[in-house]
Coordinates of all heavy atoms in Angstrom, one line a residue:
G644 N -20.4 -12.6 -14.0 CA -21.2 -13.3 -13.1 C -20.4 -13.9 -11.9 O -19.6 -13.2 -11.3
R645 N -20.5 -15.2 -11.8 CA -19.9 -15.9 -10.7 C -18.4 -15.8 -10.7 O -17.7 -15.6 -9.7 CB -20.4 -17.3 -10.7 CG -19.8 -18.1 -9.6 CD -20.4 -19.5 -9.6 NE -19.8 -20.3 -8.6 CZ -19.8 -21.6 -8.6 NH1 -20.4 -22.3 -9.5 NH2 -19.2 -22.3 -7.6
R646 N -17.8 -16.0 -11.9 CA -16.4 -16.0 -12.1 C -15.8 -14.6 -11.7 O -14.8 -14.5 -11.1 CB -16.0 -16.3 -13.5 CG -14.6 -16.6 -13.8 CD -14.5 -17.3 -15.2 NE -13.4 -16.8 -15.9 CZ -12.1 -17.0 -15.6 NH1 -11.8 -17.7 -14.5 NH2 -11.1 -16.5 -16.4
R647 N -16.5 -13.6 -12.1 CA -16.1 -12.2 -11.8 C -16.1 -11.9 -10.3 O -15.2 -11.3 -9.8 CB -17.0 -11.2 -12.5 CG -16.6 -9.8 -12.4 CD -17.3 -8.9 -13.4 NE -17.1 -7.5 -13.2 CZ -16.0 -6.8 -13.7 NH1 -15.2 -7.5 -14.4 NH2 -15.9 -5.5 -13.4
R648 N -17.1 -12.4 -9.6 CA -17.2 -12.3 -8.2 C -16.0 -13.0 -7.5 O -15.4 -12.5 -6.6 CB -18.5 -12.8 -7.6 CG -19.7 -11.9 -7.7 CD -20.9 -12.3 -6.9 NE -21.3 -13.6 -7.2 CZ -22.2 -14.0 -8.1 NH1 -22.8 -13.0 -8.8 NH2 -22.6 -15.2 -8.3
Q649 N -15.7 -14.2 -8.0 CA -14.6 -14.9 -7.4 C -13.3 -14.2 -7.6 O -12.4 -14.1 -6.8 CB -14.4 -16.3 -8.1 CG -15.5 -17.3 -7.6 CD -15.5 -18.6 -8.4 OE1 -15.0 -18.7 -9.5 NE2 -16.0 -19.6 -7.8
L650 N -13.1 -13.6 -8.8 CA -11.9 -12.8 -9.1 C -11.8 -11.6 -8.2 O -10.8 -11.3 -7.6 CB -11.9 -12.4 -10.6 CG -10.7 -11.5 -11.0 CD1 -9.4 -12.2 -10.9 CD2 -10.9 -11.0 -12.4
R651 N -12.9 -10.9 -8.0 CA -12.9 -9.7 -7.1 C -12.6 -10.1 -5.7 O -11.9 -9.4 -5.0 CB -14.3 -9.0 -7.2 CG -14.5 -8.2 -8.4 CD -15.8 -7.5 -8.4 NE -15.6 -6.1 -7.9 CZ -16.5 -5.2 -8.0 NH1 -17.7 -5.5 -8.4 NH2 -16.2 -4.0 -7.6
R652 N -13.1 -11.3 -5.2 CA -12.9 -11.7 -3.9 C -11.4 -12.0 -3.7 O -10.7 -11.6 -2.8 CB -13.7 -13.0 -3.5 CG -13.5 -13.4 -2.1 CD -14.3 -14.6 -1.7 NE -15.6 -14.7 -2.3 CZ -16.0 -15.7 -3.0 NH1 -15.3 -16.7 -3.3 NH2 -17.3 -15.7 -3.5
R653 N -10.8 -12.7 -4.7 CA -9.4 -13.0 -4.7 C -8.5 -11.7 -4.7 O -7.6 -11.6 -4.0 CB -9.0 -13.9 -5.9 CG -8.1 -15.0 -5.5 CD -7.7 -15.9 -6.7 NE -8.4 -15.5 -7.9 CZ -9.2 -16.4 -8.6 NH1 -9.4 -17.6 -8.2 NH2 -9.7 -16.0 -9.7
T654 N -9.0 -10.8 -5.5 CA -8.2 -9.5 -5.6 C -8.4 -8.7 -4.3 O -7.4 -8.1 -3.8 CB -8.7 -8.7 -6.8 OG1 -8.7 -9.5 -7.9 CG2 -7.9 -7.5 -7.0
R655 N -9.5 -8.7 -3.7 CA -9.7 -8.1 -2.4 C -8.8 -8.7 -1.3 O -8.2 -8.0 -0.5 CB -11.2 -8.1 -1.9 CG -12.0 -7.0 -2.7 CD -13.3 -6.8 -2.0 NE -14.1 -8.0 -1.9 CZ -15.1 -8.4 -2.8 NH1 -15.3 -7.6 -3.8 NH2 -15.7 -9.5 -2.6
E656 N -8.7 -10.1 -1.3 CA -7.8 -10.7 -0.4 C -6.4 -10.3 -0.6 O -5.6 -10.1 0.3 CB -8.0 -12.3 -0.5 CG -9.3 -12.8 0.0 CD -9.6 -14.2 -0.4 OE1 -8.7 -14.9 -1.0 OE2 -10.7 -14.7 -0.1
A657 N -6.0 -10.2 -1.9 CA -4.6 -9.7 -2.2 C -4.4 -8.3 -1.7 O -3.3 -8.0 -1.2 CB -4.4 -9.8 -3.7
L658 N -5.4 -7.5 -1.9 CA -5.3 -6.1 -1.4 C -5.1 -6.1 0.1 O -4.3 -5.4 0.6 CB -6.6 -5.3 -1.8 CG -6.7 -3.9 -1.2 CD1 -5.6 -3.0 -1.7 CD2 -8.1 -3.3 -1.7
R659 N -5.9 -6.9 0.9 CA -5.7 -6.9 2.3 C -4.4 -7.4 2.7 O -3.7 -6.8 3.6 CB -6.8 -7.8 2.9 CG -8.2 -7.1 3.1 CD -9.1 -7.9 3.9 NE -9.5 -9.2 3.3 CZ -10.5 -9.4 2.5 NH1 -11.3 -8.3 2.2 NH2 -10.8 -10.5 2.0
Q660 N -3.9 -8.4 2.0 CA -2.5 -8.9 2.3 C -1.5 -7.9 2.0 O -0.6 -7.7 2.8 CB -2.2 -10.2 1.4 CG -0.8 -10.7 1.6 CD -0.6 -11.3 3.0 OE1 -1.5 -11.7 3.7 NE2 0.6 -11.2 3.4
D661 N -1.6 -7.2 0.9 CA -0.7 -6.1 0.5 C -0.7 -5.0 1.6 O 0.3 -4.4 2.0 CB -1.0 -5.5 -0.8 CG -0.6 -6.4 -2.0 OD1 0.2 -7.3 -1.8 OD2 -1.0 -6.2 -3.1
Q662 N -1.9 -4.7 2.1 CA -2.0 -3.6 3.1 C -1.3 -4.0 4.4 O -0.6 -3.2 5.1 CB -3.5 -3.3 3.4 CG -4.1 -2.5 2.2 CD -5.6 -2.3 2.3 OE1 -6.3 -3.2 2.8 NE2 -6.1 -1.2 1.8
R663 N -1.4 -5.3 4.8 CA -0.7 -5.8 6.0 C 0.8 -5.8 5.8 O 1.5 -5.3 6.7 CB -1.2 -7.3 6.3 CG -2.5 -7.4 7.0 CD -2.7 -8.8 7.5 NE -2.8 -9.8 6.4 CZ -3.9 -10.1 5.8 NH1 -5.1 -9.6 6.1 NH2 -3.9 -11.0 4.8
E664 N 1.2 -6.2 4.6 CA 2.7 -6.1 4.3 C 3.2 -4.7 4.3 O 4.3 -4.4 4.8 CB 2.9 -6.8 2.9 CG 2.7 -8.3 3.0 CD 2.8 -8.9 1.6 OE1 3.2 -8.2 0.6 OE2 2.5 -10.1 1.5
L665 N 2.4 -3.8 3.8 CA 2.8 -2.4 3.8 C 3.0 -1.9 5.2 O 4.0 -1.2 5.5 CB 1.7 -1.5 3.1 CG 1.9 0.0 3.1 CD1 3.2 0.4 2.4 CD2 0.8 0.7 2.4
Q666 N 2.1 -2.2 6.1 CA 2.2 -1.8 7.5 C 3.5 -2.4 8.1 O 4.2 -1.7 8.9 CB 1.0 -2.2 8.3 CG 1.0 -1.6 9.7 CD 1.1 -0.1 9.7 OE1 0.4 0.6 9.0 NE2 2.1 0.5 10.4
E667 N 3.7 -3.7 7.8 CA 5.0 -4.3 8.3 C 6.2 -3.6 7.8 O 7.1 -3.4 8.6 CB 5.0 -5.8 7.9 CG 4.0 -6.6 8.6 CD 3.9 -8.1 8.0 OE1 4.9 -8.5 7.3 OE2 3.0 -8.8 8.3
L668 N 6.2 -3.2 6.6 CA 7.3 -2.5 6.0 C 7.5 -1.1 6.7 O 8.6 -0.7 7.0 CB 7.2 -2.3 4.5 CG 7.3 -3.5 3.6 CD1 6.9 -3.2 2.2 CD2 8.8 -4.0 3.7
R669 N 6.4 -0.4 6.9 CA 6.4 0.9 7.6 C 7.0 0.7 9.0 O 7.8 1.5 9.5 CB 5.1 1.5 7.7 CG 4.6 2.1 6.4 CD 3.2 2.6 6.6 NE 2.7 3.3 5.4 CZ 1.5 3.4 5.0 NH1 0.5 2.9 5.8 NH2 1.1 4.0 3.9
D670 N 6.6 -0.4 9.7 CA 7.1 -0.6 11.1 C 8.6 -0.9 11.1 O 9.3 -0.4 11.9 CB 6.3 -1.8 11.7 CG 4.9 -1.5 12.0 OD1 4.5 -0.3 12.0 OD2 4.1 -2.5 12.2
R671 N 9.0 -1.7 10.1 CA 10.5 -2.0 10.0 C 11.3 -0.7 9.7 O 12.3 -0.5 10.2 CB 10.7 -3.0 8.9 CG 10.2 -4.4 9.3 CD 10.6 -5.4 8.3 NE 9.9 -6.7 8.6 CZ 9.6 -7.5 7.6 NH1 9.9 -7.3 6.4 NH2 8.9 -8.6 7.9
R672 N 10.7 0.1 8.7 CA 11.4 1.4 8.4 C 11.5 2.2 9.6 O 12.6 2.8 9.9 CB 10.6 2.1 7.3 CG 11.3 3.4 7.0 CD 10.4 4.3 6.1 NE 9.2 4.6 6.7 CZ 8.1 5.1 6.2 NH1 8.1 5.4 4.9 NH2 7.0 5.3 6.8
H673 N 10.4 2.3 10.4 CA 10.5 3.1 11.6 C 11.5 2.6 12.6 O 12.3 3.4 13.2 CB 9.1 3.1 12.3 CG 9.0 3.9 13.5 ND1 8.9 5.3 13.4 CD2 8.9 3.6 14.8 CE1 8.9 5.8 14.7 NE2 8.9 4.8 15.5
D674 N 11.6 1.3 12.8 CA 12.6 0.7 13.6 C 14.0 1.0 13.2 O 14.9 1.4 14.0 CB 12.5 -0.9 13.7 CG 11.2 -1.3 14.4 OD1 10.6 -0.5 15.1 OD2 10.9 -2.5 14.2
E675 N 14.3 1.0 11.9 CA 15.6 1.3 11.3 C 15.9 2.7 11.5 O 17.1 3.1 11.9 CB 15.7 1.0 9.8 CG 15.5 -0.5 9.5 CD 16.6 -1.4 10.1 OE1 17.7 -0.9 10.5 OE2 16.4 -2.6 10.2
I676 N 15.0 3.6 11.4 CA 15.2 5.1 11.6 C 15.5 5.3 13.1 O 16.5 6.0 13.4 CB 14.0 5.9 11.2 CG1 13.8 5.9 9.7 CG2 14.1 7.3 11.7 CD1 12.5 6.5 9.2
R677 N 14.8 4.6 14.0 CA 15.0 4.7 15.4 C 16.4 4.2 15.8 O 17.0 4.8 16.7 CB 13.9 4.0 16.2 CG 13.8 4.4 17.6 CD 12.6 3.7 18.3 NE 12.8 2.3 18.4 CZ 12.0 1.4 17.9 NH1 10.8 1.8 17.4 NH2 12.2 0.1 17.9
E678 N 16.8 3.2 15.1 CA 18.2 2.6 15.4 C 19.3 3.4 14.7 O 20.4 3.1 14.9 CB 18.2 1.2 15.0 CG 17.3 0.3 15.9 CD 17.2 -1.1 15.3 OE1 18.0 -1.5 14.4 OE2 16.3 -1.9 15.8
G679 N 18.9 4.3 13.8 CA 19.9 5.2 13.2 C 20.4 4.6 11.9 O 21.4 5.2 11.4
D680 N 19.8 3.6 11.4 CA 20.4 3.0 10.1 C 19.6 3.6 8.9 O 18.6 3.0 8.5 CB 20.2 1.5 10.2 CG 21.0 0.8 9.1 OD1 21.3 1.5 8.1 OD2 21.3 -0.4 9.2
K681 N 20.1 4.7 8.4 CA 19.4 5.4 7.3 C 19.4 4.6 6.0 O 18.5 4.7 5.3 CB 20.1 6.7 7.1 CG 20.1 7.6 8.3 CD 18.7 8.2 8.6 CE 18.8 9.2 9.7 NZ 17.5 9.6 10.2
R682 N 20.5 3.8 5.8 CA 20.6 3.1 4.5 C 19.4 2.0 4.5 O 18.7 1.9 3.5 CB 21.9 2.4 4.4 CG 22.0 1.7 3.0 CD 23.4 1.0 2.8 NE 24.4 2.1 2.8 CZ 25.6 1.9 3.3 NH1 26.0 0.8 3.8 NH2 26.5 2.9 3.2
E683 N 19.3 1.3 5.6 CA 18.2 0.3 5.7 C 16.9 1.0 5.6 O 16.0 0.4 4.9 CB 18.3 -0.5 7.0 CG 19.4 -1.6 7.0 CD 19.0 -2.7 6.0 OE1 17.9 -3.2 6.0 OE2 20.0 -3.2 5.3
A684 N 16.7 2.1 6.2 CA 15.4 2.8 6.2 C 15.1 3.2 4.7 O 14.0 3.1 4.3 CB 15.5 4.1 7.1
R685 N 16.1 3.6 4.0 CA 15.9 4.0 2.6 C 15.5 2.8 1.8 O 14.6 2.9 0.9 CB 17.2 4.6 2.0 CG 17.1 6.1 1.8 CD 18.2 6.6 0.9 NE 19.5 6.1 1.3 CZ 20.3 6.7 2.2 NH1 19.9 7.7 2.9 NH2 21.5 6.2 2.4
D686 N 16.1 1.6 2.1 CA 15.7 0.4 1.4 C 14.3 0.1 1.6 O 13.5 -0.3 0.7 CB 16.6 -0.8 1.8 CG 18.0 -0.7 1.3 OD1 18.3 0.1 0.3 OD2 18.9 -1.4 1.8
Y687 N 13.8 0.2 2.9 CA 12.4 0.0 3.2 C 11.5 1.0 2.6 O 10.4 0.7 2.1 CB 12.2 -0.1 4.8 CG 12.6 -1.4 5.4 CD1 13.7 -1.5 6.2 CD2 11.9 -2.5 5.0 CE1 14.1 -2.7 6.8 CE2 12.3 -3.8 5.6 CZ 13.4 -3.8 6.4 OH 13.7 -5.0 6.9
Q688 N 12.0 2.2 2.4 CA 11.2 3.2 1.7 C 10.9 2.8 0.3 O 9.8 3.0 -0.2 CB 11.9 4.6 1.8 CG 11.1 5.7 1.2 CD 9.8 5.9 1.9 OE1 9.7 5.8 3.2 NE2 8.7 6.2 1.2
D689 N 11.9 2.3 -0.4 CA 11.8 1.8 -1.7 C 10.7 0.7 -1.8 O 9.9 0.6 -2.7 CB 13.1 1.3 -2.3 CG 14.1 2.5 -2.6 OD1 13.6 3.6 -2.6 OD2 15.3 2.2 -2.7
K690 N 10.8 -0.3 -0.8 CA 9.9 -1.4 -0.8 C 8.5 -0.9 -0.5 O 7.5 -1.4 -1.1 CB 10.3 -2.4 0.3 CG 11.6 -3.1 -0.1 CD 12.0 -4.0 1.1 CE 13.4 -4.7 0.7 NZ 13.8 -5.5 1.8
I691 N 8.4 0.1 0.4 CA 7.1 0.7 0.7 C 6.5 1.3 -0.6 O 5.3 1.2 -0.9 CB 7.2 1.8 1.8 CG1 7.4 1.0 3.1 CG2 6.0 2.7 1.9 CD1 7.9 2.0 4.3
R692 N 7.3 2.1 -1.3 CA 6.8 2.7 -2.6 C 6.2 1.6 -3.5 O 5.2 1.8 -4.1 CB 7.9 3.5 -3.2 CG 7.4 4.3 -4.4 CD 8.5 5.0 -5.2 NE 9.4 4.0 -5.7 CZ 10.7 3.9 -5.4 NH1 11.3 4.8 -4.6 NH2 11.5 2.9 -5.9
D693 N 7.0 0.6 -3.7 CA 6.6 -0.5 -4.6 C 5.3 -1.2 -4.1 O 4.4 -1.5 -4.9 CB 7.7 -1.6 -4.7 CG 8.9 -1.0 -5.4 OD1 8.8 0.0 -6.1 OD2 10.0 -1.7 -5.3
K694 N 5.2 -1.4 -2.8 CA 4.0 -2.0 -2.3 C 2.8 -1.1 -2.4 O 1.7 -1.6 -2.7 CB 4.2 -2.3 -0.8 CG 3.1 -3.1 -0.1 CD 2.8 -4.4 -0.8 CE 3.9 -5.4 -0.7 NZ 3.5 -6.7 -1.3
R695 N 3.0 0.2 -2.3 CA 1.9 1.1 -2.4 C 1.4 1.1 -3.9 O 0.2 1.2 -4.1 CB 2.3 2.5 -2.0 CG 2.4 2.6 -0.5 CD 2.8 4.0 0.0 NE 1.7 4.9 -0.2 CZ 1.7 5.9 -1.1 NH1 2.7 6.1 -1.8 NH2 0.6 6.6 -1.3
K696 N 2.3 1.0 -4.8 CA 1.9 0.9 -6.2 C 1.0 -0.4 -6.5 O 0.1 -0.4 -7.2 CB 3.1 0.8 -7.1 CG 3.8 2.2 -7.3 CD 5.0 2.1 -8.2 CE 5.7 3.5 -8.2 NZ 6.9 3.4 -9.0
E697 N 1.5 -1.5 -5.8 CA 0.7 -2.7 -5.9 C -0.7 -2.5 -5.4 O -1.7 -3.0 -6.0 CB 1.3 -3.9 -5.1 CG 2.5 -4.5 -5.8 CD 3.0 -5.7 -4.9 OE1 2.2 -6.5 -4.5 OE2 4.2 -5.7 -4.7
I698 N -0.8 -1.9 -4.2 CA -2.1 -1.6 -3.6 C -3.0 -0.7 -4.5 O -4.2 -1.0 -4.8 CB -2.0 -1.0 -2.2 CG1 -1.4 -2.0 -1.3 CG2 -3.3 -0.4 -1.7 CD1 -1.0 -1.5 0.1
H699 N -2.4 0.3 -5.1 CA -3.1 1.2 -6.0 C -3.6 0.4 -7.2 O -4.8 0.5 -7.6 CB -2.1 2.2 -6.5 CG -2.6 3.2 -7.6 ND1 -3.6 4.1 -7.3 CD2 -2.3 3.3 -8.9 CE1 -3.9 4.7 -8.4 NE2 -3.1 4.3 -9.4
N700 N -2.8 -0.5 -7.8 CA -3.3 -1.3 -8.9 C -4.4 -2.3 -8.5 O -5.3 -2.5 -9.2 CB -2.1 -2.1 -9.5 CG -1.1 -1.1 -10.2 OD1 -1.5 0.0 -10.7 ND2 0.1 -1.5 -10.4
D701 N -4.2 -2.9 -7.3 CA -5.3 -3.8 -6.8 C -6.6 -3.0 -6.7 O -7.7 -3.5 -7.1 CB -4.9 -4.4 -5.4 CG -3.8 -5.4 -5.5 OD1 -3.5 -5.8 -6.6 OD2 -3.3 -5.7 -4.4
R702 N -6.5 -1.8 -6.1 CA -7.8 -1.0 -5.9 C -8.4 -0.7 -7.3 O -9.6 -0.7 -7.4 CB -7.5 0.3 -5.2 CG -7.3 0.0 -3.7 CD -7.0 1.4 -3.0 NE -6.8 1.2 -1.6 CZ -6.1 2.0 -0.8 NH1 -5.6 3.1 -1.3 NH2 -6.0 1.8 0.5
R703 N -7.5 -0.3 -8.2 CA -8.0 0.0 -9.6 C -8.7 -1.2 -10.2 O -9.8 -1.1 -10.8 CB -6.9 0.5 -10.5 CG -7.5 1.1 -11.8 CD -6.4 1.6 -12.7 NE -5.4 2.3 -12.1 CZ -4.1 2.3 -12.5 NH1 -3.8 1.6 -13.5 NH2 -3.2 3.0 -11.9
E704 N -8.1 -2.4 -10.0 CA -8.7 -3.6 -10.5 C -10.0 -3.9 -9.9 O -11.0 -4.3 -10.6 CB -7.7 -4.7 -10.3 CG -7.9 -5.9 -11.2 CD -6.7 -6.9 -11.0 OE1 -5.6 -6.5 -11.1 OE2 -7.1 -8.1 -10.8
I705 N -10.2 -3.7 -8.6 CA -11.4 -4.0 -7.9 C -12.5 -2.9 -8.1 O -13.6 -3.2 -8.5 CB -11.2 -4.1 -6.4 CG1 -10.2 -5.3 -6.1 CG2 -12.5 -4.2 -5.6 CD1 -9.7 -5.3 -4.6
Y706 N -12.1 -1.7 -8.0 CA -13.1 -0.6 -7.9 C -13.1 0.3 -9.2 O -14.0 1.1 -9.3 CB -12.8 0.3 -6.7 CG -12.8 -0.5 -5.4 CD1 -11.7 -0.6 -4.7 CD2 -14.0 -1.0 -4.9 CE1 -11.7 -1.3 -3.5 CE2 -14.0 -1.7 -3.7 CZ -12.9 -1.8 -3.0 OH -12.9 -2.5 -1.8
G707 N -12.2 0.2 -10.0 CA -12.1 1.1 -11.2 C -11.3 2.4 -10.8 O -11.0 2.6 -9.7
N708 N -11.1 3.2 -11.8 CA -10.3 4.4 -11.7 C -10.9 5.4 -10.7 O -10.2 6.1 -10.0 CB -10.0 5.0 -13.0 CG -9.0 4.3 -13.8 OD1 -8.1 3.6 -13.2 ND2 -9.1 4.3 -15.1
D709 N -12.2 5.5 -10.7 CA -12.9 6.6 -9.9 C -12.7 6.4 -8.4 O -12.6 7.3 -7.7 CB -14.4 6.6 -10.2 CG -14.8 7.2 -11.5 OD1 -13.9 7.8 -12.1 OD2 -15.9 7.0 -11.9
H710 N -12.5 5.1 -8.0 CA -12.4 4.9 -6.5 C -11.2 5.6 -5.9 O -11.3 6.2 -4.9 CB -12.2 3.4 -6.3 CG -12.2 3.0 -4.9 ND1 -11.0 2.9 -4.2 CD2 -13.1 2.8 -4.0 CE1 -11.3 2.6 -2.9 NE2 -12.5 2.5 -2.8
D711 N -10.0 5.6 -6.6 CA -8.9 6.2 -6.1 C -9.1 7.7 -5.9 O -8.6 8.3 -4.9 CB -7.6 6.0 -6.9 CG -7.2 4.5 -6.8 OD1 -7.4 3.9 -5.7 OD2 -6.6 4.0 -7.8
R712 N -9.7 8.4 -6.9 CA -9.9 9.8 -6.8 C -10.9 10.1 -5.6 O -10.7 11.0 -4.9 CB -10.5 10.3 -8.1 CG -9.4 10.6 -9.1 CD -9.9 11.4 -10.3 NE -10.9 10.7 -11.1 CZ -10.6 9.9 -12.0 NH1 -9.4 9.6 -12.3 NH2 -11.6 9.3 -12.7
R713 N -12.0 9.3 -5.5 CA -13.0 9.5 -4.5 C -12.5 9.2 -3.1 O -12.8 9.9 -2.2 CB -14.2 8.6 -4.8 CG -15.3 9.3 -5.4 CD -16.6 8.6 -5.3 NE -16.5 7.2 -5.5 CZ -16.8 6.5 -6.6 NH1 -17.2 7.1 -7.7 NH2 -16.6 5.2 -6.6
Y714 N -11.7 8.2 -3.0 CA -11.3 7.7 -1.6 C -9.9 8.0 -1.3 O -9.4 7.5 -0.3 CB -11.6 6.2 -1.4 CG -13.1 6.0 -1.5 CD1 -13.7 5.5 -2.6 CD2 -13.9 6.3 -0.4 CE1 -15.1 5.3 -2.7 CE2 -15.3 6.1 -0.4 CZ -15.9 5.6 -1.6 OH -17.2 5.4 -1.6
G715 N -9.2 8.8 -2.1 CA -8.0 9.4 -1.6 C -6.7 8.7 -1.8 O -5.9 8.6 -0.9
W716 N -6.4 8.2 -3.0 CA -5.0 7.7 -3.3 C -4.0 8.9 -2.9 O -3.1 8.7 -2.2 CB -4.9 7.3 -4.7 CG -3.5 7.1 -5.2 CD1 -2.9 7.8 -6.2 CD2 -2.6 6.1 -4.9 NE1 -1.7 7.3 -6.4 CE2 -1.5 6.2 -5.6 CE3 -2.7 5.0 -4.0 CZ2 -0.4 5.4 -5.5 CZ3 -1.6 4.2 -3.9 CH2 -0.5 4.4 -4.6
D717 N -4.4 10.1 -3.3 CA -3.5 11.2 -3.0 C -3.4 11.5 -1.5 O -2.4 11.8 -1.0 CB -3.9 12.5 -3.8 CG -3.6 12.4 -5.3 OD1 -2.7 11.6 -5.6 OD2 -4.3 13.0 -6.1
R718 N -4.6 11.3 -0.9 CA -4.6 11.6 0.6 C -3.7 10.6 1.3 O -3.0 10.9 2.2 CB -6.0 11.4 1.1 CG -6.2 11.7 2.6 CD -7.5 11.3 3.1 NE -7.5 9.8 3.1 CZ -8.6 9.1 2.8 NH1 -9.7 9.7 2.6 NH2 -8.6 7.8 2.8
D719 N -3.7 9.3 0.8 CA -2.8 8.3 1.4 C -1.4 8.7 1.2 O -0.5 8.6 2.1 CB -3.0 6.9 0.8 CG -4.4 6.3 1.1 OD1 -5.0 6.9 2.1 OD2 -4.8 5.4 0.5
R720 N -1.0 9.3 0.0 CA 0.3 9.7 -0.3 C 0.7 10.8 0.6 O 1.8 10.8 1.2 CB 0.5 10.1 -1.7 CG 0.4 8.9 -2.6 CD 0.6 9.2 -4.1 NE 1.7 10.0 -4.3 CZ 1.9 10.7 -5.4 NH1 1.0 10.8 -6.3 NH2 3.0 11.5 -5.6
R721 N -0.1 11.8 0.8 CA 0.2 12.9 1.7 C 0.4 12.4 3.1 O 1.3 12.8 3.8 CB -0.9 13.9 1.7 CG -0.9 14.8 0.4 CD -1.8 16.0 0.6 NE -3.2 15.7 1.0 CZ -4.1 15.4 0.1 NH1 -3.9 15.4 -1.2 NH2 -5.3 15.1 0.5
H722 N -0.4 11.4 3.6 CA -0.3 10.9 4.9 C 1.0 10.2 5.1 O 1.7 10.4 6.1 CB -1.4 9.9 5.2 CG -1.3 9.2 6.5 ND1 -1.7 9.8 7.7 CD2 -0.9 8.0 6.8 CE1 -1.5 9.0 8.7 NE2 -1.0 7.9 8.2
D723 N 1.5 9.4 4.1 CA 2.8 8.8 4.1 C 3.9 9.8 4.2 O 4.8 9.6 5.0 CB 3.0 7.9 2.9 CG 2.4 6.5 3.0 OD1 1.9 6.2 4.0 OD2 2.6 5.8 2.0
R724 N 3.8 10.8 3.4 CA 4.9 11.8 3.5 C 5.0 12.5 4.9 O 6.1 12.8 5.3 CB 4.6 12.9 2.4 CG 5.6 12.9 1.3 CD 5.4 14.1 0.4 NE 4.0 14.4 0.2 CZ 3.4 14.3 -0.9 NH1 4.0 14.0 -2.0 NH2 2.1 14.6 -1.0
D725 N 3.8 12.7 5.5 CA 3.8 13.3 6.8 C 4.6 12.4 7.8 O 5.2 12.9 8.8 CB 2.4 13.4 7.4 CG 1.7 14.5 6.6 OD1 2.3 15.3 5.9 OD2 0.4 14.5 6.8
H726 N 4.7 11.1 7.6 CA 5.3 10.2 8.6 C 6.6 9.6 8.1 O 7.2 8.8 8.8 CB 4.3 9.0 8.9 CG 3.1 9.5 9.6 ND1 3.1 9.8 10.9 CD2 1.8 9.7 9.2 CE1 1.9 10.2 11.3 NE2 1.1 10.2 10.2
D727 N 7.1 10.0 6.9 CA 8.3 9.4 6.4 C 9.5 9.8 7.3 O 10.5 9.1 7.3 CB 8.6 9.9 5.0 CG 7.7 9.1 4.0 OD1 7.1 8.1 4.4 OD2 7.7 9.6 2.8
H728 N 9.4 10.9 8.0 CA 10.6 11.4 8.7 C 10.4 11.4 10.2 O 10.9 12.3 10.9 CB 11.0 12.8 8.2 CG 11.3 12.7 6.7 ND1 12.3 12.1 6.1 CD2 10.6 13.2 5.7 CE1 12.3 12.2 4.8 NE2 11.2 12.9 4.5
D729 N 9.5 10.6 10.7 CA 9.2 10.5 12.1 C 10.5 10.3 12.9 O 11.4 9.6 12.5 CB 8.2 9.4 12.5 CG 6.8 9.8 12.1 OD1 6.6 11.0 11.7 OD2 5.9 8.9 12.1

């Protein structure tokens, strides 16, 4: 009931925050690559991977397991791979 709705709302807010943080990490990684600092870029890649796992878990908590298959957890991963070496 009400408690579950509050939990979902809080989890959705956490998901949005994680998505913003993921974009910031991607931007920083891109800056490091542009500046030629491969070691820093690798560190950001590790942080990005961890953040994506958090987002995956948040989505599973909110929507259940079917959501990721339907809405493209794998598609997101393919998209990331396409841009990892910009």
Side-chain angles (χ1 to χ4, degrees):
R645 181 176 176 199
R646 192 166 139 67
R647 185 169 172 83
R648 279 194 305 269
Q649 288 174 335
L650 177 63
R651 283 182 99 170
R652 184 178 323 121
R653 224 183 351 242
T654 308
R655 282 193 302 264
E656 289 167 5
L658 175 60
R659 282 191 293 271
Q660 178 65 29
D661 285 344
Q662 289 171 327
R663 282 191 296 271
E664 290 172 7
L665 176 62
Q666 188 56 51
E667 290 171 15
L668 289 169
R669 285 176 173 155
D670 292 344
R671 289 183 192 153
R672 179 190 59 191
H673 183 73
D674 291 344
E675 295 299 340
I676 291 170
R677 199 175 61 235
E678 293 170 11
D680 193 339
K681 301 289 187 191
R682 183 178 300 148
E683 281 293 317
R685 255 193 312 275
D686 289 344
Y687 280 113
Q688 184 60 38
D689 292 342
K690 292 176 184 178
I691 287 168
R692 186 187 61 239
D693 294 344
K694 185 57 67 177
R695 289 183 66 250
K696 286 180 184 176
E697 281 183 50
I698 289 171
H699 176 68
N700 290 335
D701 288 348
R702 284 181 179 154
R703 188 180 319 144
E704 203 172 307
I705 295 169
Y706 302 110
N708 286 330
D709 285 346
H710 184 268
D711 289 330
R712 281 194 292 277
R713 259 197 320 259
Y714 293 101
W716 167 247
D717 288 334
R718 185 193 65 217
D719 291 347
R720 289 180 51 200
R721 284 194 304 274
H722 177 78
D723 273 0
R724 246 189 321 244
D725 291 345
H726 294 283
D727 282 348
H728 304 290
D729 285 350

